[in-house]
Amino acid sequence: MSWQEYVDSSLVGSGNLDKAAIFNSEGTSVWASSAGFKVSPAEIKEVVTAYSDKGDENGVKAVQSNGLHIAGERFVVLKADERALYGKKGKEGIVIVKTNQAILLAHYPETVAPGVATNVVEQLADYLISVGY
């Protein structure tokens, strides 16, 4: 399956996500993206930086205080660990999961429950990790 097929079929095709992209783990290359989903270089750099941030003395990462910008919108970060970043803006949100070689970034609309959206992205990430990505 191509990277674009993962975006079109496994992520957006699930019906629980409306936009998605896959980047290399350094954030320097877009491997696939849904039409019209534009994540700027500065925005993906924020994501990569969030993964490398070890947090303050209480374990709070900067992204949890400052939020995260994706496709021109600011999201409040609810979860930030070495694997995943979850963000919300009103009732819509983003799910970002890092595998060994890729960063999966997906947006869900306000009509989808956050847990359903996160499961879709997390399951694809688990699969990619299991096959060496």
Side-chain angles (χ1 to χ4, degrees), residues 1-12 19-24 28-39 44 102-106 124 128:
M1 189 176 281
S2 73
W3 293 112
Q4 192 61 51
E5 288 174 309
Y6 285 123
V7 167
D8 296 340
S9 299
S10 300
L11 296 173
V12 176
K19 299 176 249 184
I22 301 175
F23 294 83
N24 69 336
T28 56
S29 177
V30 182
W31 290 351
S33 181
S34 52
F37 192 41
K38 302 288 185 214
V39 179
I44 193 64
I103 295 173
L104 310 179
L105 193 157
L124 178 56
L128 291 173

Side-chain angles (χ1 to χ4, degrees), residues 50-56 59-65 80-82 85:
Y51 280 118
S52 62
D53 182 1
K54 301 299 180 206
D56 62 15
V60 177
K61 294 183 172 204
V63 72
Q64 292 171 288
S65 301
D81 61 27
E82 65 282 342
L85 301 168

Side-chain angles (χ1 to χ4, degrees), residues 8-102:
D8 296 340
S9 299
S10 300
L11 296 173
V12 176
S14 71
N16 296 310
L17 303 164
D18 58 357
K19 299 176 249 184
I22 301 175
F23 294 83
N24 69 336
S25 61
E26 296 82 29
T28 56
S29 177
V30 182
W31 290 351
S33 181
S34 52
F37 192 41
K38 302 288 185 214
V39 179
S40 75
E43 291 170 337
I44 193 64
K45 186 174 186 215
E46 280 184 55
V47 170
V48 172
T49 300
Y51 280 118
S52 62
D53 182 1
K54 301 299 180 206
D56 62 15
E57 65 276 358
N58 297 315
V60 177
K61 294 183 172 204
V63 72
Q64 292 171 288
S65 301
N66 303 331
L68 192 60
H69 298 86
I70 301 294
E73 299 189 50
R74 183 182 180 277
F75 292 85
V76 174
V77 175
L78 307 174
K79 175 181 178 174
D81 61 27
E82 65 282 342
R83 176 180 162 106
L85 301 168
Y86 298 169
K88 291 230 5 158
K89 181 183 148 230
K91 293 183 178 181
E92 64 185 87
I94 54 165
V95 179
I96 306 169
V97 182
K98 186 176 185 206
T99 69
N100 299 328
Q101 298 182 41

